[in-house]
């Protein structure tokens, strides 16, 4: 097998950004072992190269310790809650203990409900069905949200009374716009992202919670992108509800979670009408139970909940300084390198995301202690002049063995406002990433700008793919690239 190597792009060396710079040393090795870290990707021009996974923001690889834990518990997998058998009792214990583990991970209050779902989208749809209703069945207040949200934290609220706010060019200005809307009254819930899935910019969660509560509203935080990158403490930040997904937090099996105050959840419409969600059922009537079981009808995803809980334990045990230094080094190297390549633009929402601090008088958010804080997580969004984002992604995959995301990232309103109606590119990374991944991406982009594409590409099923692709894939893979692709606008 021929293995390709990629030198640092000349633009970096000439521009003063040396990969050997000591400030990047902390990121030369992964911070944690992940499954599949040494996958060899075939190149269209021949040979293989270690797959550079820069798509953590879509689905992060499973931590190796999580994969090992799965193999350990898999022989004991059985139905939970109503089984008297040995395996059922063990599975029930694993499943229920996962709630406590997840609650501890997010700094939950003792009475906070922990409801396992399929993903963040499922969690937020569940909460949308639990908004307090007036006598006529309509929610008693509106849901307020920003235009920067992922569809998971946008579309569920369009089914109930709602209003939206166009985010300002700064975080400070955005908080003032939200204050103005909240001051008008009639808002029962403020729905915000913890970190943008498009640009990685972190919002001041504690300040937003204080603002919502000042005007009698509750707050829900979409932490799908935040949880894999920052410590979360919903009790300290006074957050009412929080949702995140296992597949972005180094856990397989498609589990998500909603954590938060139980009163709305106990009174809300059961999310899944089925077995386990009832106290008693008759032919035409039902008495629903309360607690997490109310919304977890049917057989739950035991392995998903268990691996999600195990992943939270690993992430919670990280040294925070080392964790952030590793991520920041890769991001700094990548952003500085992209800025040095002609025709490449790095995109952001807020001009003050690196320096913002909550204003005085915002309650517990005053001063530097803004919960997760502001800044940016391990996500970089960019575009290359003269090239469709999907074509650049296909080129990087086929000719350089790099995986990253292109499209509109399920955030269509934001992409339109950023002037990117057809989409952009997103590189995202995490615990299993290394500086070499960013170096290879920069080399690939520089080669594209200097020499153009090295292969012909065509659109197949809405995706750019190499023409006459003869690369081999695992025998068990049902489709080769391009035979069943999704349109870029649908991508997360």
């Amino acid at each position: 097998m021929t293995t390709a190597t990629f030198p640092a792009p000349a633009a970096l060396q000439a521009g003063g950004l040396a990969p050997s710079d000591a400030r990047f040393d902390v990121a030369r090795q992964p911070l944690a072992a992940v499954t599949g870290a040494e996958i060899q990707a075939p190149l269209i021009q021949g040979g293989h190269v270690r797959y550079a996974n820069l798509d953590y923001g879509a689905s992060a690889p499973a931590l190796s310790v999580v994969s090992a834990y799965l193999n350990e518990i898999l022989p004991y997998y059985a139905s939970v809650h109503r089984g008297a058998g040995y395996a059922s009792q063990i599975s029930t214990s694993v499943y229920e203990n996962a709630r406590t583990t997840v609650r501890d991970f997010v700094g939950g209050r003792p009475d906070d409900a922990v409801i396992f779902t399929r993903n963040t989208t499922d969690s937020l749809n569940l909460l949308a069905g639990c908004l307090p209703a007036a006598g006529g069945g309509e929610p008693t207040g509106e849901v307020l949200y920003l235009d920067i949200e992922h569809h998971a934290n946008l579309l569920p609220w369009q089914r109930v009374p709602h209003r939206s706010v166009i985010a300002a060019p700064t975080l400070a200005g955005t908080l003032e716009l939200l204050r103005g809307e909240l001051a008008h009254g009639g808002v029962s819930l403020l729905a915000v992202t913890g970190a943008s899935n498009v640009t990685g910019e972190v919002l001041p969660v504690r300040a937003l919670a204080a603002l919502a509560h000042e005007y009698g509203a509750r707050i829900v935080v979409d932490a799908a992108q935040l949880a894999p990158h920052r410590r979360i403490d919903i009790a300290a930040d006074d957050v009412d509800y929080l949702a995140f997904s296992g597949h972005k937090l180094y856990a397989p099996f498609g589990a998500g979670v909603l954590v938060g105050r139980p009163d709305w959840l106990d009174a809300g419409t059961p999310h899944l009408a089925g077995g386990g969600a009832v106290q008693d059922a008759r032919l035409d009537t039902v008495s629903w139970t309360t607690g997490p079981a109310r919304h977890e009808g049917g057989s739950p995803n035991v392995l998903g909940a268990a691996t999600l809980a195990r992943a939270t334990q690993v992430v919670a045990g990280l040294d925070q300084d080392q964790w952030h230094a590793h991520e920041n080094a890769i991001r700094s190297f990548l952003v500085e390198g992209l800025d040095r390549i002609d025709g490449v633009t790095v995109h952001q929402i807020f001009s003050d995301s690196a320096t913002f601090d909550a204003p005085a008088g915002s309650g517990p958010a005053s001063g530097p202690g803004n919960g997760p804080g502001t800044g940016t997580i391990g996500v970089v969004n960019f575009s290359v002049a003269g090239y469709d984002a999907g074509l650049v992604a296909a080129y990087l995959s086929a000719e350089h063995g790099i995986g990253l995301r292109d499209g509109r990232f399920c955030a269509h309103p934001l992409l339109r406002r950023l002037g990117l109606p057809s989409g952009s590119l997103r590189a995202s990374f995490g615990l299993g990433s290394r500086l070499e991944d960013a170096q290879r991406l920069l080399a690939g982009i520089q080669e594209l700008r200097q020499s153009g594409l090295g292969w012909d590409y065509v659109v197949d099923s809405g995706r750019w793919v190499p023409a006459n692709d003869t690369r081999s894939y695992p025998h068990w893979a049902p489709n080769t690239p391009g035979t069943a692709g999704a349109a870029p606008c649908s991508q997360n």
Side-chain angles (χ1 to χ4, degrees):
M1 179 183 292
T2 304
T3 301
T5 59
F6 297 88
L12 300 188
Q13 298 169 341
L17 181 61
S20 59
D21 191 324
R23 63 194 172 109
F24 304 125
D25 286 349
V26 68
R28 298 195 188 284
Q29 298 298 325
L31 195 59
V34 297
T35 302
E38 301 303 325
I39 287 177
Q40 294 295 303
L43 300 177
I44 194 70
Q45 64 270 35
H48 291 73
V49 68
R50 181 186 63 80
Y51 176 61
N53 185 354
L54 289 171
D55 200 15
Y56 276 55
S59 286
L63 288 161
S64 295
V65 293
V66 172
S67 297
Y69 175 66
L70 169 65
N71 290 329
E72 184 177 1
I73 65 174
L74 190 57
Y76 299 91
Y77 168 67
S79 293
V80 301
H81 293 147
R82 293 172 296 283
Y86 177 62
S88 290
Q89 291 295 302
I90 291 178
S91 289
T92 298
S93 176
V94 167
Y95 185 71
E96 290 302 328
N97 283 333
R99 296 192 204 276
T100 301
T101 302
V102 171
R103 185 187 293 112
D104 291 344
F105 173 69
V106 299
R109 296 160 288 260
D111 65 336
D112 277 337
V114 178
I115 302 173
F116 288 117
T117 63
R118 292 178 296 174
N119 45 44
T120 306
T121 301
D122 200 27
S123 295
L124 295 171
N125 274 271
L126 188 162
L127 182 61
C130 294
L131 299 178
E138 292 295 322
T140 56
E142 294 178 300
V143 178
L144 181 64
Y145 54 84
L146 293 166
D147 69 324
I148 69 171
E149 301 298 332
H150 184 281
H151 292 171
N153 200 30
L154 178 80
L155 301 184
W157 315 124
Q158 294 182 1
R159 298 177 176 177
V160 300
H162 63 273
R163 71 180 91 143
S164 58
V165 172
I166 305 298
T170 64
L171 282 167
T174 300
L175 259 68
E176 287 309 305
L177 290 175
L178 288 173
R179 178 181 293 279
E181 287 295 328
L182 288 164
H184 287 312
V187 174
S188 61
L189 182 69
L190 173 62
V192 296
T193 185
S196 169
N197 77 299
V198 176
T199 65
E201 290 165 278
V202 179
L203 275 73
V205 169
R206 187 178 298 182
L208 288 164
L211 187 60
H213 295 155
E214 182 180 345
Y215 293 96
R218 291 189 180 186
I219 185 171
V220 58
V221 176
D222 171 0
Q225 298 293 336
L226 185 66
H229 299 275
R230 293 287 189 273
R231 292 274 191 265
I232 295 175
D233 191 330
I234 63 174
D237 295 337
D238 207 14
V239 168
D240 299 292
Y241 300 98
L242 181 119
F244 64 95
S245 297
H247 72 98
K248 298 184 190 296
L249 194 74
Y250 310 101
F253 285 101
V257 67
L258 176 68
V259 183
R261 302 189 186 278
D263 54 343
W264 286 9
L265 301 173
D266 283 346
T269 302
H271 190 52
L272 289 173
V278 304
Q279 292 178 331
D280 186 61
R282 298 179 183 269
L283 288 180
D284 55 2
T285 61
V286 61
S287 175
W288 301 104
T289 189
T290 56
R294 182 182 183 88
H295 300 287
E296 293 179 357
S299 295
N301 183 356
V302 179
L303 297 177
T307 52
L308 169 57
R310 184 68 184 98
T312 66
Q313 290 178 316
V314 177
V315 173
L318 296 172
D319 179 273
Q320 184 165 280
D321 292 339
Q322 186 181 20
W323 181 21
H324 292 175
H326 175 266
E327 181 176 285
N328 291 338
I330 296 175
R331 189 177 195 282
S332 296
F333 181 80
L334 184 53
V335 170
E336 292 178 36
L338 289 171
D339 284 341
R340 285 170 164 80
I341 300 177
D342 181 58
V344 175
T345 302
V346 176
H347 304 289
Q348 64 182 53
I349 306 169
F350 306 109
S351 60
D352 61 345
S353 57
T355 58
F356 176 81
D357 193 16
S362 59
S366 299
N370 277 315
T374 52
T376 312
I377 59 170
V379 172
V380 178
N381 192 287
F382 67 99
S383 55
V384 182
Y387 291 95
D388 180 78
L391 178 56
V392 176
Y395 152 80
L396 289 168
S397 175
E399 300 184 37
H400 294 271
I402 298 168
L404 77 172
R405 188 68 33 162
D406 69 277
R408 292 190 285 170
F409 316 108
C410 293
H412 297 181
L414 174 58
L415 268 292
R416 279 192 291 269
R417 186 158 70 84
L418 291 175
L420 302 164
S422 62
S424 60
L425 293 148
R426 182 186 70 186
S428 53
F429 38 89
L431 301 181
S433 302
R434 59 193 85 175
L435 193 68
E436 180 195 350
D437 300 334
Q439 183 176 326
R440 283 174 50 191
L441 175 58
L442 293 173
I445 297 296
Q446 180 65 21
E447 181 178 312
L448 178 65
R449 292 297 300 164
Q450 290 180 341
S451 306
L453 301 167
W455 200 267
D456 291 330
Y457 294 82
V458 297
V459 176
D460 183 357
S461 301
R463 297 288 306 168
W464 285 100
V465 296
N468 304 313
D469 189 352
T470 59
R471 291 174 293 170
S472 61
Y473 294 86
H475 66 88
W476 42 261
N479 294 300
T480 55
T483 60
C489 65
S490 70
Q491 292 186 2
N492 183 13

